[in-house]
Amino acid sequence: MKHISALSLLILAASANTQGQAPAAPAEPVGPYRASATKINDLVHTKLDVRFDYAKRYLYGKEWVTLKPHAYPTDSLRLDAKGMDIKAVALMNGEQQQKLKFDYDQSNLRINLGKSMAPGTAYTIYIEYTAKPDELKAQGSAAITDAKGLYFINPDSTEKGKPVQIWTQGETEASSVWFPTIDRPNQKTTSEISMTVPAKYVTLSNGALVSQKPAEAGLRTDTWKMDMPHAPYLFMMAVGDFKIYKETWRGKEVSYYLEPKYAPYAKQIFGNTPDMLEFFSTRLGVEFPWNKYAQIVVRDYVSGAMENTTATLHGDFVQMTDRELLDRQYQNESVIAHELFHQWFGDYVTAESWSNLTVNESMADFSEGLYAEHKYGADAADAHNYRNLRNYLSSPPDATKNLVRFHYGDKEEMFDLVSYQKGGAVLDMLRTYLGDDVFFAGLQKYLKDNALGNGEAHQMRLAMEAVSGQDLNWFYNQWYFRAGHPVVTIESSWDAAKKVQAVTVKQTQPGDVFQLPFAIDYYVKGKAQRQRVTMTEATQTFLMPLDSKPDLVNVDAEKTLVWQPTENKTIAEYAYQYAHAPLYLDRREALLAAAKEQKTNTAARTLLISGLRDKFANLRTLTLERLDLEDKAVAKAAAPAIRKLVSSEKETAVLGNALVALAKLKDKKDAKTFAKQLADSKSYGVQGAALQALALTDPAQALTKAKAFETDEHASLTQAVSAVYATAGGTAEWAYIRNKFDAVGPQGKFGMLEDIATMLPRLQDPAAFTEGVDRIKAIGIQYKSRGADKPIIGLLQSITKDKDKPVSAAQQAIIDKAVTEIEQAK
């Protein structure tokens, strides 16, 4: 499961000031102990025959489920079955059905088998049922926003422009909404699924399509068969008008299912999949274990993507045209790597319980950086990994949680920044400590030892210990079975008489001291000397004899520690670090340090501007964003470099940021550049940036040109038009912003809040002003439980503090009333 949070931008904004603070002390266990599910009966094979009632949003199902008692004789069977009508239950004797007594409470189907079954004895139960997912009261989570298992998308075709689709979502325990099963991750079963659907539609499910047969008028029955066992939450079905693009890898089918509009771009969207299959298979030493790999894109998906066995399901954010793909960042493509890696870690070997979700999700998050390194280089990997780590570090409440948690209120709580981002960073740290050969040998052993079964963190540890010859309890105890991370201060001093460099590291976080192995690089006369150390005390000093005082001391030289360091270096040291230390994070740290002193320190300003020439696009963008172009000295020094970058930049994301930066200079002669980029660029992102830049240099021209893009639905241009109207428009343009805001989803609304706030003081129409305030207020109330109230109140109050556009007494009263309503909301 890849979690794409609709609240991510808001949450990050609200927590932006937490970076660098000490984490809270680890909390006491919350919730009851969550044991792995006890196995009384084992699933063996699941055969389903289903058809759909689009009008009622029902599934009519017949099931033949084969099981075996696990360890002891049993005369009963309990199956998960949520919100169904159970029509019949029988024991199969050959082709004959022997009716069985059962009890059903809309959640548990308890069946009396009529006799005792010995351990290991296979028996088959027949169940006829109706699944009614839309009538089920199912609660989702922040990661997976719904839990009704089976989804009918626009089944009555009433939503213009939206396709008719059916798809399923099983994780965590929602497959039992559409078929009775033992819906636990430590169960595995082979499967055969027959779907009777309108003949005009395409179907997809796990495994191989073994038959397609005409059914009654206008219908067709497709049968999909999976011969290798997999967990019930990984079962899937999808039905709709999809176009299929097929290719092969090592003789296995690799396919992409897209809406017809996007079918021409299938290869561009998913084209790196065969390379990922080859890279992961080779790196792990375990070939992709399944008979095919399909990826399908659906509407209204309840999360980011889901790693159903052999058939990953993606939300429609990955679906793009050729022009949209010009602006795609690796963060979008990384979900493809994430779900594919799950086919090994999650599907081939599945977490024994949700407490051990880390062996699924941390592995998949780790794979994102792993593939970025292979395909796009070390800088891309380091930038992606650090972005993920920052998300975790910016959330102090998550520092109180163990990576493996046996106590929680609800299993959905496990899908968080700890199981994903922190866990991925911990794996990268372990990789650095053990070295690539040993680390990947450990992953190979874990996969082979637990193939088609279940795993947990301790089995991962045992595999790593077996191949490394080391005891790793210390590592797993502090990173998997303990909360938090180190917060450290670093001080360096040179003893000229003894020619010894001292480095003192002090851990300041609450709780126990972390054992930290890391490298220190000492740069003397242009060459680095590496010292490997292990910190075991709260305060520890490391000594290094050197020929002369080092130009730079680089602590955690490999930049993979999960910690929050504070260190004071001079700008001269940071300049040396930028020029000589090789890694992305070394250069990023130097540029950020320079940004803090750019207005008062010429050397810092020079260092920061040099970032515009960095080899990596991400750091060129960071430099553009950090330049304080309101300062005259900075603007004068940076202007030539920014204009040169605009004329030569090939990366659309960087070029867009460069146009926005250039606009801050407010030089009217640049308006021609902006107008040209707006007219000529194929990138929606560049066009959007050019339009917003034009608004700062020639507002009248920007307002006129924005009108031409009002009907365009691409996010970059919609956002740009809204921004232009927010800064240069008035009451006449309010309807556009209001209607766009009402039409977009949560993330889009967050993106438009500042536009509304900027426009409000110019809305002289009381009705329009009230409409704007009400929309901002509604977000603050709706997401108050997730911390949205304070930033929203701050945004509303900022409107009243703009001296250039003072609000009237009536407008002030409307804002005050909205703030009060947010504060009083439950």
Side-chain angles (χ1 to χ4, degrees), residues 288-303:
F288 176 76
W290 312 105
N291 60 354
K292 73 136 196 294
Y293 189 58
Q295 295 176 88
I296 189 168
V297 184
V298 302
R299 291 292 188 97
D300 296 349
Y301 186 51
V302 294
S303 191

Side-chain angles (χ1 to χ4, degrees), residues 166-226:
I166 295 173
W167 47 264
T168 61
Q169 165 55 38
E171 194 172 35
T172 48
E173 294 172 7
S175 285
S176 49
V177 175
W178 60 277
F179 67 98
T181 188
I182 304 175
D183 208 353
R184 300 293 184 269
N186 64 351
Q187 289 282 345
K188 294 211 167 181
T189 168
T190 55
S191 61
E192 181 179 326
I193 302 177
S194 296
M195 291 176 269
T196 299
V197 301
K200 63 182 178 179
Y201 290 145
V202 167
T203 69
L204 176 65
S205 188
N206 313 100
L209 179 61
V210 295
S211 73
Q212 290 187 298
K213 298 178 180 178
E216 57 240 54
L219 300 178
R220 187 189 71 247
T221 300
D222 291 358
T223 299
W224 294 82
K225 194 170 184 180
M226 166 63 79

Side-chain angles (χ1 to χ4, degrees), residues 9 127 192 358 453 459:
L9 294 183
I127 305 170
E192 181 179 326
T358 179
Q459 288 166 310

Side-chain angles (χ1 to χ4, degrees), residues 88 124 149 167 175 195 298 317 369 406 504 600 626 709-710 761 763:
T124 299
W167 47 264
S175 285
M195 291 176 269
V298 302
F317 67 94
F406 292 105
T504 300
T600 57
R626 296 289 174 155
F709 294 103
E710 278 194 351
L763 296 181

Side-chain angles (χ1 to χ4, degrees), residues 612 624 639-651 654-656 658-659 662 670 673-674 676-677 686:
L612 296 176
L624 288 163
I642 295 173
R643 290 194 171 97
K644 183 176 181 180
L645 186 63
V646 167
S647 67
S648 61
E649 183 59 59
K650 303 301 181 185
E651 294 285 342
V654 181
L655 178 55
L659 293 171
L662 187 59
D670 291 319
T673 298
F674 303 145
K676 180 173 173 53
Q677 289 288 351
V686 171

Side-chain angles (χ1 to χ4, degrees), residues 123-138:
Y123 64 94
T124 299
I125 298 296
Y126 169 78
I127 305 170
E128 191 171 337
Y129 64 97
T130 301
K132 301 183 291 185
D134 281 49
E135 298 176 20
L136 180 71
K137 295 180 180 179

